[in-house]
Amino acid sequence: MTFTLPDLPFAYDALEPYMSAKTFEFHHDKHHQAYVDMGNKLAGEGSKYEGLSLEDICKKAFAEKDQPVVNNIGQHYNHTHFWQWMKKDGGGTKLPGKLEPLVATYGGLEKLKADFVEAGKTQFGSGWAWLVIKDGVLAVAKTPNGENPLMSGAQPILGCDVWEHSYYLDYQNARPKYLEAFFDHLVNWEHVEEMLG
Ligand code: MN3
C-alpha cells in the first residue's frame, strides 16, 4: 500500500493551551511526514509488505526483526491514531458505554489515569504509553521508540506519544504534566471506544 499523511481532524490551534499549533506544525507536518516518506521507501509498493494492512505490516516487521519498518510503519500507525485520540474539550470523566464496564473492572478512572501517567513517566527515553485490551482485559502498557502493542499481541485502544517532540515546546521536560493534561483535557474517548472494535 501507499502510505499518506492524514490531515489533522482539528485546526492546528484547537487544542491550545494543552498542545500548541507550533507543536502540531512540527509534530504532524514534519515528524509524521518523515515516517510516511520512509515507510513508502521501506514497505510501500513492490516491497514484501505489499497487500498487507497497516496493522499486519506492524506485526510482520516486528516478528521478522525488520527494525527500520518497525520504527517507521509503527510510528505511522501510532501517529495516525494519536491525532484521532485527541479532541478539543476531550478528557473528562464521562466515558462512552462500552468503555465504562472495562474501566470499572480495572479499578476506576482515577487508578487508570495514575497507572497510565506512571507508564509514560517511566518509559525511559522515547516511546509511548498505552491502554490495551489483552486477553479481553483492559491493561496499561508502554513501548519504546516506534513500537506498539499490536507487535506483542495486544489491541491498542489509546496511546500517548512520550517522545520529546510531542511535548517539549509546551511543557519542556515536564513529561508527567503533559501526560496528565493529555488524560484530563485531550483524550477523545469516542475514538478509544471505536478501537474496541
Ligand atoms: Mn511523535
Side-chain angles (χ1 to χ4, degrees), residues 93-114:
T93 55
K94 179 104 186 69
L95 298 177
K98 279 202 275 178
L99 274 173
E100 257 189 324
L102 291 165
V103 173
T105 302
Y106 184 87
L109 193 61
E110 275 308 304
K111 178 173 162 48
L112 192 68
K113 176 188 165 186

Side-chain angles (χ1 to χ4, degrees), residues 27 31 35 75 79 82-83 128 161 163 165-166:
H27 198 178
H31 289 278
Y35 300 131
Q75 286 290 67
H79 287 83
F82 186 52
W83 314 133
W128 292 75
D161 189 342
W163 287 57
H165 66 222
S166 193

Side-chain angles (χ1 to χ4, degrees), residues 176-193:
K177 212 173 138 195
Y178 155 70
L179 284 155
E180 283 171 16
F182 174 83
F183 203 96
D184 288 341
H185 300 288
L186 295 179
V187 175
N188 176 2
W189 288 110
E190 284 71 34
H191 189 60
V192 178
E193 185 181 48

Side-chain angles (χ1 to χ4, degrees), residues 27-84:
H27 198 178
H28 174 271
D29 298 5
K30 309 282 187 211
H31 289 278
H32 191 172
Q33 182 71 59
Y35 300 131
V36 167
D37 292 345
M38 277 306 288
N40 279 319
K41 279 193 192 133
L42 297 165
E45 300 295 326
S47 77
K48 66 176 179 180
Y49 297 99
E50 195 164 322
L52 296 181
S53 68
L54 190 53
E55 290 79 1
D56 285 341
I57 297 173
C58 287
K59 293 175 197 171
K60 181 178 170 70
F62 188 77
E64 297 179 0
K65 298 188 167 49
D66 185 348
Q67 199 60 45
V69 173
V70 167
N71 293 342
N72 287 282
I73 294 300
Q75 286 290 67
H76 178 47
Y77 175 89
N78 297 349
H79 287 83
T80 295
H81 287 290
F82 186 52
W83 314 133
Q84 299 179 72

Side-chain angles (χ1 to χ4, degrees), residues 127-169:
W128 292 75
W130 301 98
L131 299 185
V132 304
I133 302 294
K134 177 126 191 178
D135 305 322
V137 175
L138 176 63
V140 171
K142 58 185 173 181
T143 56
N145 303 315
E147 292 178 19
N148 63 49
L150 292 171
M151 299 171 184
S152 53
Q155 169 63 33
I157 60 169
L158 176 65
C160 184
D161 189 342
V162 299
W163 287 57
E164 283 186 349
H165 66 222
S166 193
Y167 62 87
Y168 214 84
L169 293 176

